[in-house]
Amino acid sequence: MAAASRGGGGGGPKALELLRALPRVSLVNLRPNPGAKKSEKRRGRGRHGGKKSGRGHKGQRQRGTRPRLGFEGGQTPFYLIIPKYGYNEGHSRRRQYHPLSLQKLQYLIDLGRVDPTQPIDLTQLTNARGVTIQPLKRDYGVQLVEEGADIFSAKVNIEVQMASELAIAAIEKNGGVITTGFYDPRSLEILCKPIPFFLRGQPIPKRMLPPEDLVRYYTDARNRGYLANPSNIPEARLELAKKYGYVLPDISKDELFRMLSTRKDPRQIFFGLAPGWVVNMSEKKILKPTDERLLRYYSS
Amino acid sequence: MAAAVASAGLRRRPGGVWGAVARRLLQSQSRDKPETRHPQYPGIVESTEEYKFVERLIPPTRIPAPPKHAQYPTPSGWRAPSDTPPALPYFVRRSRMHNVPVYKDITSGNRRMTVIRKIEGDIWALEEEVKEFLTQLAGKPPPIQVNEITGSIGIKGYFDNELKEWLLNKGF
């Protein structure tokens, strides 16, 4: 009714003006839009006393005694003859990595939500609301995906949990640095929500090492793993540059080289904060242990 | 066996980089001047120097304003609104994330709609222009619904990319 009737008057609330002029709304004045209410089909009301009422002629169809869905007349049906296989077995226990496309990363940088002049961490991405990680739902972090590799043009120092080869190439082509690091679920929860953790008053724990099946991934320089031998990384960079055909920029000549080369220690969760420290947010202080045993434990 | 190989591989890392940063941060305590022993608990040392790293971790409370770029559209395809609002009887505000408020909607699996929200001023004038624009595109005028109270227009069918570009070209 609002779309159909158009009153006069200038711009603004025409509906309000109409309401003033028209008679009171009551059951007499109301009507649904044409085509909104379709009357139902009632069977058995036709000529010749309704006849078959859409049930067909004789047999199980008319008599309503058809067997269950999937029954094949006695032959072992399809759903029983195919053997079981554990395709989805343990699916709820598998590690999940939230995808982050290069397109989205570029969008976040363009809108100023993520600062490319500081090292980009999962905390920075979460604070910018670029990704939402749920460590309790078996999320183990973020994976960099190559959607948007052709438009990506930001020089960043980024740390993710997994990255595909083309994504690594796209970042290094623009003069950036990418590292892949592992966070166990407890460290991941602390990384994603640092403030509630600091308010708990517990010392920052040390990050655990990856499980056996991931050690291979993180010790490989081709994945820019954080446990890989640092001397293998320049070779891997050259190899990728040759493979994808771009000139590898020399980042040591860059003014932001210091920022680009900051990397976290394998046992560190946050940049600049070591494990074992307690953060006092109300007094803006950091408490550090001095006991020999604690120092040895936290630096092991 | 695999664990032994893995740990052997890790121990072989050159330069003793293992835990070096952590060790450096922990051992530098004795050299820091602004640190003080806690009066009540002598086993702890307090420091205010590294608090700047904590400040970096605090999430911002407000959505930051997008920085000025030299060229639009930016690499991700975002365009800023024009500095002076266009001389039209209506205005379409940007969303809180600074994007054009055109959205796709689908109900009961097959009812596709495009919604333009956040319209201020003369909505009916905008509705006329949208109708004209979409008649050119689609051949026939699509059904359009105007909601004056919320300032939104609903159009049958998916036209979100075309409408976004059209609104951006107008300067919204």
Side-chain angles (χ1 to χ4, degrees):
Chain A
M1 188 179 155
S5 61
R6 298 256 229 99
K14 289 188 185 176
L16 200 54
E17 314 282 304
L18 275 173
L19 266 181
R20 282 189 229 274
L22 289 171
R24 174 181 298 209
V25 169
S26 72
L27 285 175
V28 183
N29 305 330
L30 294 172
R31 183 186 54 173
N33 258 333
K37 300 276 180 190
K38 195 167 173 176
S39 48
E40 72 167 297
K41 182 175 186 171
R42 293 177 72 216
R43 305 201 183 232
R45 302 285 184 285
R47 210 169 148 216
H48 307 307
K51 229 186 165 195
K52 292 197 181 59
S53 309
R55 294 293 311 230
H57 179 69
K58 280 191 188 175
Q60 285 177 339
R61 290 163 195 241
Q62 195 173 24
R63 292 168 182 144
T65 48
R66 266 203 264 210
R68 65 180 181 279
L69 189 66
F71 186 68
E72 289 176 16
Q75 167 181 286
T76 319
F78 172 78
Y79 70 90
L80 286 182
I81 206 160
I82 303 296
K84 281 199 201 181
Y85 184 83
Y87 292 107
N88 297 334
E89 190 179 342
H91 72 282
S92 59
R93 275 177 250 242
R94 287 187 201 152
R95 284 184 286 265
Q96 294 182 359
Y97 293 91
H98 194 101
L100 174 70
S101 58
L102 290 168
Q103 161 92 23
K104 177 116 200 196
L105 186 56
Q106 183 65 52
Y107 168 77
L108 292 170
I109 293 174
D110 284 341
L111 263 82
R113 279 152 72 174
V114 153
D115 189 10
T117 57
Q118 295 290 328
I120 296 179
D121 201 7
L122 190 51
T123 323
Q124 305 298 326
L125 289 169
T126 319
N127 288 351
R129 312 297 193 280
V131 287
T132 308
I133 302 287
Q134 298 168 300
L136 290 173
K137 299 287 178 193
R138 276 72 65 194
D139 276 347
Y140 270 65
V142 132
Q143 55 172 328
L144 212 51
V145 156
E146 49 268 338
E147 173 82 35
D150 44 347
I151 47 116
F152 191 74
S153 55
K155 187 170 61 177
V156 287
N157 175 4
I158 190 163
E159 204 220 18
V160 286
Q161 279 64 58
M162 288 219 157
S164 61
E165 206 183 41
L166 184 55
I168 298 175
I171 296 205
E172 293 188 339
K173 178 180 179 185
N174 291 302
V177 169
I178 175 166
T179 325
T180 47
F182 175 78
Y183 289 88
D184 54 291
R186 185 180 175 209
S187 309
L188 189 71
E189 202 237 321
I190 294 170
L191 184 71
C192 294
K193 297 186 176 168
I195 307 303
F197 171 72
F198 293 146
L199 292 173
R200 275 178 234 165
Q202 293 168 10
I204 301 175
K206 38 181 196 174
R207 221 206 298 182
M208 292 295 126
L209 293 171
E212 278 182 45
D213 37 352
L214 282 177
V215 166
R216 198 178 201 181
Y217 183 85
Y218 288 111
T219 43
D220 198 349
R222 275 177 307 192
N223 302 324
R224 309 291 184 271
Y226 71 134
L227 299 170
N229 197 335
S231 47
N232 289 343
I233 294 193
E235 283 173 35
R237 281 163 61 94
L238 267 172
E239 207 184 295
L240 256 192
K242 269 189 217 150
K243 177 175 178 181
Y244 287 101
Y246 58 87
V247 174
L248 191 62
D250 191 6
I251 50 167
S252 55
K253 306 246 175 8
D254 204 331
E255 53 187 14
L256 287 169
F257 174 60
R258 187 133 186 262
M259 182 282 289
L260 286 177
S261 54
T262 39
R263 289 177 82 182
K264 279 189 205 172
D265 188 67
R267 290 292 200 181
Q268 214 186 355
I269 300 183
F270 301 112
F271 279 113
L273 302 174
W277 292 357
V278 180
V279 173
N280 187 343
M281 293 207 66
S282 51
E283 291 174 21
K284 305 213 173 159
K285 285 189 190 155
I286 297 184
L287 310 170
K288 306 177 189 177
T290 46
D291 188 34
E292 172 59 39
R293 286 173 302 173
L294 282 175
L295 287 178
R296 218 171 341 136
Y297 170 76
Y298 281 118
S299 55
S300 63
Chain B
M1 162 72 186
V5 165
S7 54
L10 295 168
R11 250 183 274 121
R12 250 188 279 123
R13 271 168 51 101
V17 188
W18 194 256
V21 172
R23 235 181 282 126
R24 221 184 314 127
L25 279 170
L26 285 167
Q27 283 163 4
S28 69
Q29 290 164 194
S30 48
R31 292 195 292 267
D32 279 349
K33 286 194 198 99
E35 281 183 11
T36 46
R37 288 251 156 193
H38 196 275
Q40 223 179 341
Y41 304 100
I44 302 175
V45 156
E46 282 185 355
S47 149
T48 41
E49 247 194 18
E50 285 94 353
Y51 197 74
K52 61 176 191 280
F53 294 109
V54 175
E55 278 166 4
R56 260 199 251 171
L57 300 169
I58 302 175
T61 41
R62 302 196 133 207
I63 300 166
K68 295 251 181 297
H69 293 264
Q71 206 201 18
Y72 291 110
T74 57
S76 59
W78 181 76
R79 276 160 70 175
S82 62
D83 295 318
T84 51
L88 291 161
Y90 48 84
F91 187 75
V92 179
R93 241 179 231 261
R94 290 272 179 128
S95 72
R96 66 188 73 189
M97 294 298 184
H98 313 288
N99 294 320
V100 176
V102 173
Y103 308 100
K104 286 202 290 222
D105 193 12
I106 186 159
T107 327
S108 55
N110 49 13
R111 188 184 186 202
R112 300 175 200 186
M113 292 178 284
T114 316
V115 180
I116 310 176
R117 276 193 347 111
K118 293 179 87 85
I119 305 170
E120 289 155 9
D122 189 1
I123 300 186
W124 296 101
L126 175 59
E127 191 245 1
E128 281 288 349
E129 298 199 17
V130 163
K131 198 174 231 186
E132 216 183 281
F133 173 63
L134 292 178
T135 321
Q136 275 173 4
L137 270 184
K140 56 177 183 174
I144 301 186
Q145 185 213 8
V146 168
N147 190 333
E148 284 176 350
I149 303 146
T150 55
S152 65
I153 288 180
I155 303 138
K156 181 174 175 182
Y158 280 163
F159 297 103
D160 60 315
N161 292 326
E162 291 93 346
L163 280 173
K164 264 191 195 147
E165 224 189 277
W166 182 71
L167 284 171
L168 278 168
N169 289 336
K170 285 195 179 257
F172 290 117

